[in-house]
């Protein structure tokens, strides 16, 4: 195996391992994001149902108040039967009139509140649908992640084993440079392709001597980023 072939293969495996690890880390993030959507939709629905509950309590309170006013009217009416003086009679009639007006106000308010309940209840199915949609989306993500998990870890293990095997071909100064750079930058960032005379990592142009060295399968480090350069072909 030439130096270029060796470094090219090592880089390919490091990049593959990097991508597989990233995918493995992405799975829990995707699940958390899907769960957050369920929680958000459930919260909207819960707030909505509580608002309906509050409106109904308000209606009930107003109905109770109306009953109190009606009880007062009944009391005044029975008092009226015992009264002989016209002035007192008129006063009670006035009181009854006031109670009836109060009842009318509460009845109007109840109608308005009932209309609000109706409007809100009409929105409930759509909000429940949002929760169901979020749950279905979570199940989909879970199935995708779960179905891929075994395959993903098998591929990762295989790539890591291949890498170890290829690394055994490294000798002397090449091994030293490689190990130092992998330690400093991670495998995927330790190597760069020398593409059309430029370092693929930092876009610095290689010297003619470096290009000749690379073509001759000698060790070449980028003058700018210091990484190991290899030719993609040859
Ligand atoms: Zn560079």
């Amino acid at each position: 195996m030439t130096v270029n072939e060796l470094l090219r293969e090592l880089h390919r495996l490091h990049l593959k391992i990097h991508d597989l690890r990233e995918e493995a880390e992405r799975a829990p993030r995707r699940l958390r994001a899907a769960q957050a959507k369920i929680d958000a939709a459930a919260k909207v629905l819960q707030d909505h149902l509580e608002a309906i509950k509050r409106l109904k309590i308000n209606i009930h309170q107003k109905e109770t108040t109306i009953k109190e006013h009606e009880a007062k009217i009944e009391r005044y009416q029975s008092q009226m039967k015992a009264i002989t003086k016209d002035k007192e009679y008129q006063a009670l009639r006035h009181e009854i009139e006031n109670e009836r007006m109060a009842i009318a106000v509460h009845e109007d308010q109840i109608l308005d509140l009932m209309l609000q309940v109706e409007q809100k209840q009409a929105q409930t199915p759509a909000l429940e649908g949002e929760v169901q949609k979020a749950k279905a989306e979570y199940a989909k993500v879970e199935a995708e992640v779960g179905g891929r998990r075994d395959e993903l870890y098998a591929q990762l293990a295989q790539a890591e084993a291949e890498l170890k095997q290829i690394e055994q071909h490294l000798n002397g100064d090449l091994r030293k440079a490689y190990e130092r750079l992998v330690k400093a930058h991670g495998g995927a960032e330790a190597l760069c392709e020398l593409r059309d005379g430029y370092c693929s990592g930092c876009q610095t142009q290689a010297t003619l001597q470096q290009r000749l060295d690379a073509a001759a399968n000698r060790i070449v480090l980028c003058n700018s980023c210091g990484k190991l350069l290899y030719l993609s072909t040859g």
Side-chain angles (χ1 to χ4, degrees):
M1 216 182 247
T2 66
V3 170
N4 280 313
E5 282 168 350
L6 183 54
L7 294 179
R8 190 189 317 143
E9 189 59 8
L10 288 170
H11 201 201
R12 184 185 73 77
L13 288 166
H14 274 299
L15 289 172
K16 190 174 177 183
I17 290 166
H18 177 263
D19 288 350
L20 290 169
R21 283 195 185 137
E22 218 169 47
E23 192 185 340
E25 282 165 20
R26 212 160 40 233
R29 278 207 300 276
R30 285 183 67 198
L31 283 172
R32 275 200 300 278
Q35 182 61 49
K37 277 185 187 164
I38 295 178
D39 294 346
K43 176 79 170 69
V44 170
L45 177 63
Q46 193 196 344
D47 290 349
H48 170 80
L49 294 175
E50 272 167 15
I52 291 175
K53 210 196 232 170
R54 280 197 299 277
L55 286 170
K56 284 180 172 174
I57 289 171
N58 205 347
I59 289 171
H60 181 73
Q61 283 169 342
K62 289 191 185 301
E63 283 168 348
T64 305
T65 306
I66 286 174
K67 284 204 183 90
E68 286 165 6
H69 286 297
E70 283 170 347
K72 272 189 189 171
I73 289 173
E74 271 180 38
R75 211 160 58 237
Y76 291 146
Q77 281 170 339
S78 66
Q79 283 171 10
M80 280 166 95
K81 287 174 192 156
I83 282 170
T84 49
K85 285 178 188 160
D86 188 52
K87 200 177 162 190
E88 285 176 16
Y89 189 84
Q90 291 304 332
L92 280 176
R93 274 192 60 175
H94 188 67
E95 289 295 334
I96 289 171
E97 201 50 42
N98 283 345
E99 294 300 323
R100 286 195 174 131
M101 274 162 62
I103 288 171
V105 168
H106 284 301
E107 280 173 346
D108 281 349
Q109 288 171 346
I110 286 173
L111 278 178
D112 183 50
L113 289 168
M114 282 167 77
L115 195 69
Q116 287 182 45
V117 169
E118 233 171 76
Q119 285 168 344
K120 281 204 176 294
Q121 279 174 337
Q123 297 164 355
T124 303
L127 296 178
E128 284 169 343
E130 287 298 318
V131 175
Q132 289 313 313
K133 218 168 84 184
K135 282 183 178 170
E137 183 58 32
Y138 183 92
K140 208 178 109 192
V141 171
E142 200 179 32
E144 275 175 23
V145 166
R148 174 89 175 108
R149 193 180 294 129
D150 290 347
E151 189 193 345
L152 186 64
Y153 284 106
Q155 285 180 355
L156 195 52
Q158 198 197 331
E160 281 167 345
E162 271 181 60
L163 179 70
K164 265 208 181 88
Q165 206 193 336
I166 303 289
E167 278 175 341
Q168 287 175 3
H169 295 278
L170 289 162
N171 289 310
D173 288 344
L174 186 58
R175 174 176 282 275
K176 272 186 212 153
Y178 171 83
E179 284 177 347
R180 178 174 55 78
L181 288 165
V182 167
K183 200 175 165 194
H185 307 289
E189 300 282 324
L191 310 167
C192 291
E193 188 186 332
L194 184 58
R195 198 181 293 149
D196 300 325
Y198 288 83
C199 167
S200 67
C202 70
Q203 311 306 327
T204 299
Q205 192 172 20
T207 63
L208 179 62
Q209 186 58 52
Q210 283 176 314
R211 276 182 274 171
L212 290 172
D213 285 342
N217 281 296
R218 285 191 283 266
I219 300 171
V220 181
L221 298 175
C222 174
N223 282 331
S224 178
C225 67
K227 293 175 182 177
L228 267 169
L229 297 175
Y230 65 91
L231 288 170
S232 59
T233 51

